[in-house]
Amino acid sequence: KQEVTQIPAALSVPEGENLVLNCSFTDSAIYNLQWFRQDPGKGLTSLLLIQSSQREQTSGRLNASLDKSSGRSTLYIAASQPGDSATYLCAVRGGGSEKLVFGKGTKLTVNP
Amino acid sequence: GAVVSQHPSRVICKSGTSVKIECRSLDFQATTMFWYRQFPKQSLMLMATSNEGSKATYEQGVEKDKFLINHASLTLSTLTVTSAHPEDSSFYICSARDRNSYEQYFGPGTRLTVT
């Protein structure tokens, strides 16, 4: 059974700092991995999707990497801003399945 | 980008009543929709997979007679929480898979409170 773990559970940083969020998964036989953002009481916004054959994806100040063999992914946020404050969720989709398995998320607070 | 809507966004109901939540894909067709539940500070947990024109597939531990799912068209799936109890209070989120691109898009969620 796939399990997804995100560390840390919460992170508070000053504005402008670069930061890394971590995600690990137990079964390396994944189809893809996706990072989402969730604001309080809201739904999910997809940030980056990495296919199993890819090593990384970039969008603006965000960069996500994937090391499938070790079961790890990182989300790098450059020059953080208060507007980046949210909970970041990592989810993996197993091979041959449409199901997404989510981690519990990392709650990020960027202080002005 | 693709948009998924949910209605209502918030609902408060009394214990023992039933509540229906709608999930719509607004600008694409979805042969498959997913229903998730999220408790405070917890991960999203998949409840069931809804396929257009066929019965939903429920995850282990989810009561199919309590959480009725109907996926009658390529743009609409509904989740009915029957005989709701306070422990059913949660945040319910749907996602829809684009039949062409296979990407999943998430709705904004529905906050259910059972009193």
Side-chain angles (χ1 to χ4, degrees):
Chain A
K1 179 185 173 185
Q2 179 74 271
E3 293 183 2
V4 179
T5 303
Q6 291 187 245
I7 295 173
L11 180 64
S12 181
V13 300
E15 182 177 3
E17 193 162 296
N18 302 325
L19 58 101
V20 174
L21 307 181
N22 297 291
C23 172
S24 62
F25 46 96
T26 54
D27 186 349
S28 62
I30 65 169
Y31 185 76
N32 59 40
L33 182 145
Q34 204 163 356
W35 283 92
F36 295 89
R37 169 185 172 138
Q38 185 177 30
D39 292 287
K42 304 293 185 182
L44 275 63
T45 300
S46 179
L47 298 174
L48 291 165
L49 184 151
I50 311 177
Q51 301 294 347
S52 62
S53 58
Q54 297 175 321
R55 298 283 293 182
E56 65 177 348
Q57 282 286 340
T58 298
S59 175
R61 295 182 292 109
L62 306 180
N63 176 277
S65 68
L66 174 64
D67 184 344
K68 199 173 75 163
S69 61
S70 67
R72 295 182 181 181
S73 175
T74 61
L75 178 66
Y76 175 83
I77 302 177
S80 58
Q81 303 170 357
D84 295 330
S85 298
T87 296
Y88 290 80
L89 296 167
C90 166
V92 299
R93 178 180 162 188
S97 171
E98 294 188 70
K99 300 177 185 178
L100 290 177
V101 179
F102 284 84
K104 291 185 178 181
T106 294
K107 183 176 181 181
L108 173 65
T109 303
V110 181
N111 302 300
Chain B
V3 177
V4 175
S5 70
Q6 280 186 242
H7 178 80
S9 58
R10 286 179 177 272
V11 58
I12 301 173
C13 70
K14 292 187 177 181
S15 186
T17 61
S18 295
V19 174
K20 180 185 285 188
I21 302 170
E22 293 185 349
C23 177
R24 292 181 185 272
S25 56
L26 298 185
D27 49 4
F28 65 97
Q29 293 183 328
T31 51
T32 304
M33 291 186 175
F34 304 88
W35 287 96
Y36 295 85
R37 181 167 52 185
Q38 185 180 34
F39 292 107
K41 297 185 179 181
Q42 296 296 316
S43 170
L44 273 76
M45 298 298 296
L46 180 65
M47 299 174 65
T49 301
S50 164
N51 296 296
E52 188 265 337
S54 65
K55 291 183 178 180
T57 304
Y58 291 81
E59 294 299 301
Q60 190 173 11
V62 178
E63 300 175 57
K64 63 180 181 180
D65 294 330
K66 179 170 183 61
F67 299 98
L68 301 179
I69 292 173
N70 183 277
H71 191 158
S73 78
L74 288 173
T75 59
L76 173 64
S77 176
T78 61
L79 168 68
T80 301
V81 183
T82 62
S83 187
H85 291 285
E87 56 265 31
D88 297 324
S89 298
S90 186
F91 193 55
Y92 292 86
I93 302 178
C94 74
S95 71
R97 192 194 76 167
D98 187 311
R99 67 183 304 189
N100 295 317
S101 71
Y102 292 90
E103 281 202 52
Q104 280 191 42
Y105 300 96
F106 283 79
T110 296
R111 172 72 61 191
L112 170 64
T113 303
V114 184
T115 61

